[in-house]
Amino acid sequence: MFVFASSQAVAESSLPSIIDYKSSHHPTVAKNGMVVSRQYLASRVGRDILKKGGSAVDATIATGFALSVVLPVAGNIGGGGFMLVHDAESGETIAIDYREKAPAKAHKDMYLDSEGNVDRQKARFSYLSVGVPGTVAGFELAHKKYGKLPWKDLVEPAIRLAEDGFVMNWDLASKLEQRRTHLSQSEATKKAYYKKDGSSYQLGELFVQKDLAWSLKQIQAHGAKAFYHGEVGKKIIAAMERHGGIISMQDLKDYQPKVREAVKGTYRGYDIVAMPLPSSGGLHIIQMLNVLEHFPLADFGANTAKTIHLMAEAMKYAYADRSKHLGDSDFYDAPVEWLISKEYGAKIAKRIRLDTVTPSTEIQPGTPVAPESPETTQISVVDQWGNAVSNTYTLNYSFGSGLVAEGTGILLNNEMDDFSAKPGAPNGYGLIGGEANAIEAYKRPLSSMTPVMVFKDGQLKLLTGSPGGSRIITAVLQILVNVIDHDMNIASATHSPRFHHQWLPDVLFVEPELNQDTVELLQNMGYKVKRSGTIGATQSIQIEDYIYGSADPRRPNAEAAGF
């Protein structure tokens, strides 16, 4: 059980001022609890739940439902995700897998055309691209195990935001305009996100979502049953039948989230706890840290050419292994222990040379010696009793499939694209997959979502996660290295320029802020360097004397809200 009353609450008047230093390298500070998310309205919903005596899980659920209203690009009840939960009293950290599943009628070749090529439209933007959603079931499971406040109290703020509306902000208004074509493929989506005359909502206008409010009320009154057995589910299945989807009511009824054992590793005296399969991120974070442990990154400095080179080499080996060895562990016997072993990390480290780039063509997936959109979103929470949640959930692409089930206001995911539609063919993020991640009925697709917690001597020190598709894993890795190796506070670690390599294509992507001299040194070493957009959007909490929250400035409207 969570700890709920082991410490006396500190009066707000006795706390230091909580200032949001969004443009500085100072974190937001709190004494009792902290919620960090991509959207300030949702962060404040979660903070208020903590102030009412809710647990970290309560605050995560309330924030998650609120994000489904105010951040429809990624916040969702029509998608799925992963939740790491740390129980301060027992010291246990568990993993809740509420990833979407393939429906019963899914099969290996469902996206191949008559010539055997992948039909991208069918795989990404049709009702066939939708996996059986897991968010509502996952939230309910977490609440039953670790919740303190009544379920209805956690859904109510999201209902109010949907029914009464909220002021349209620049970020959402611009994304709705940018994605107009994507979101206009169905009348239900147009009804949900544009005015009756088809025009866009403008900055400062009130944005109301009555159908979504109805769905949330059903979920508030009946819990997950409303979504998987009841009126909400019936409307989703009606949309499936109307538009050629294959999810059935039986698929909804059969969906179950799973409690899994977290994967664990060590790095320079810290314990790393992360999400297991079907998250590839947790395994590869540990794998890459096992490699980097052999090099004195602190001596080489943060974001120097030498440090970036070493990290990029480790990244390439991890993504090569991802392409072959990983899939849903309920269906495929992945070589997990080998991948995260210190021995394998040492073997890779010996192949890396300080002054030489290894071409991706020379890196192949390892041989075991023993028997995923930029628009994902992260919620990090710590409550006043020391319980914590690192939760990453997603619709996959921005606004998912772009399809709203009529009468529900619920955007549906397009997570089926995270499977390997054809072994060797890249998905929407350029990731290569093999037979281990082939489409199969009831299977969960491989994911890059990487909620992580870091402990020192049994005490929780850091929790983080990120959106970013294939770049999630490398963004999270850089937060850990910045804090552990380079002794940065969590805000400085967040603000530091990022880079990314995923083996194929053989390109080192770097953010625009990375020093040009460093870029030239990397190019002279032999890297093909490409300036990219922002990499990830981490939402992190560091725990020392106080609770320090850092909302990534790479995405507008993020906030660390504490008390």
Side-chain angles (χ1 to χ4, degrees), residues 170-497:
W170 171 83
D171 182 45
L172 181 54
S174 62
K175 280 186 167 56
L176 287 172
E177 189 58 37
Q178 292 165 7
R179 299 281 178 162
R180 174 177 285 277
T181 300
H182 176 47
L183 297 175
S184 296
Q185 59 183 315
S186 82
E187 289 301 317
T189 309
K190 285 197 291 186
K191 176 187 174 185
Y193 293 106
Y194 302 96
K195 297 179 182 178
K196 289 183 178 180
D197 63 1
S199 62
S200 299
Y201 286 93
Q202 301 300 308
L203 178 66
E205 293 184 331
L206 190 67
F207 181 44
V208 175
Q209 300 170 79
K210 294 291 187 183
D211 285 348
L212 183 55
W214 174 84
S215 294
L216 288 164
K217 287 178 180 178
Q218 292 290 315
I219 293 167
Q220 181 187 48
H222 305 292
K225 184 181 293 185
F227 192 94
Y228 297 94
H229 299 262
E231 297 305 312
V232 177
K234 290 177 182 177
K235 288 182 182 290
I236 291 173
I237 299 309
M240 285 285 157
E241 293 172 348
R242 191 177 300 120
H243 301 291
I246 58 173
I247 294 177
S248 68
M249 182 58 75
Q250 193 61 48
D251 287 323
L252 290 181
K253 290 178 178 178
D254 288 344
Y255 183 86
Q256 294 292 331
K258 290 201 169 187
V259 176
R260 300 188 186 273
E261 184 177 351
V263 292
K264 298 176 181 178
T266 62
Y267 183 65
R268 305 198 198 278
Y270 289 83
D271 295 306
I272 312 298
V273 180
M275 196 72 201
L277 289 170
S279 165
S280 63
L283 302 178
H284 289 317
I285 285 289
I286 294 171
Q287 178 186 359
M288 290 186 287
L289 291 174
N290 285 342
V291 174
L292 296 174
E293 201 165 36
H294 293 269
F295 302 97
L297 299 188
D299 294 343
F300 295 155
N303 274 348
T304 61
K306 190 173 288 187
T307 293
I308 292 173
H309 163 61
L310 292 170
M311 294 178 71
E313 292 284 283
M315 291 172 186
K316 285 188 279 187
Y317 281 98
Y319 279 83
D321 283 330
R322 186 189 192 279
S323 73
K324 180 178 180 178
H325 294 306
L326 298 186
D328 185 347
S329 57
D330 291 342
F331 286 74
Y332 177 76
D333 188 15
V336 171
E337 295 305 318
W338 164 73
L339 278 171
I340 64 174
S341 68
K342 293 291 187 183
E343 292 76 16
Y344 185 48
K347 185 176 181 180
I348 294 173
K350 288 180 180 178
R351 298 174 185 161
I352 296 174
R353 289 172 288 177
L354 285 174
D355 57 352
T356 305
V357 177
T358 309
S360 291
T361 53
E362 296 180 12
I363 296 175
Q364 297 300 318
T367 301
V369 294
E372 336 183 336
S373 123
E375 295 299 351
T376 298
T377 195
Q378 168 72 18
I379 306 167
S380 295
V381 182
V382 171
D383 66 26
Q384 61 185 301
W385 302 284
N387 308 307
V389 172
S390 180
N391 182 90
T392 316
Y393 74 154
T394 188
L395 288 167
N396 197 22
Y397 281 22
S398 180
F399 299 99
S401 63
L403 300 168
V404 167
E406 288 93 337
T408 68
I410 295 173
L411 273 166
L412 300 172
N413 69 80
N414 59 347
E415 289 295 353
M416 294 293 288
D417 185 57
D418 272 359
F419 283 114
S420 299
K422 179 181 180 181
N427 71 1
Y429 300 111
L431 289 172
I432 305 296
E435 291 293 338
N437 192 38
I439 301 170
E440 193 171 344
Y442 309 117
K443 192 177 185 179
R444 288 169 162 88
L446 193 61
S447 173
S448 295
M449 292 185 288
T450 313
V452 171
M453 294 183 181
V454 177
F455 297 82
K456 179 76 168 180
D457 299 326
Q459 299 300 308
L460 180 62
K461 291 294 184 181
L462 174 68
L463 52 152
T464 190
S466 179
S470 61
R471 302 179 179 198
I472 291 173
I473 306 170
T474 54
V476 170
L477 175 71
Q478 288 165 81
I479 290 289
L480 302 187
V481 168
N482 285 342
V483 171
I484 295 173
D485 285 289
H486 303 304
D487 199 27
M488 296 184 189
N489 70 39
I490 192 57
S492 294
T494 301
H495 284 246
S496 184

Side-chain angles (χ1 to χ4, degrees), residues 61 65 136 139-140 143 149-155 219-220 223:
I61 294 168
F65 279 127
V136 180
F139 283 1
E140 184 175 86
H143 182 255
L149 297 183
W151 173 262
K152 64 181 181 62
D153 293 358
L154 310 182
V155 188
I219 293 167
Q220 181 187 48

Side-chain angles (χ1 to χ4, degrees), residues 79-98:
F82 302 132
M83 184 186 296
L84 278 181
V85 183
H86 176 64
D87 180 345
E89 183 176 43
S90 68
E92 178 186 31
T93 302
I94 69 159
I96 298 176
D97 171 6
Y98 60 97

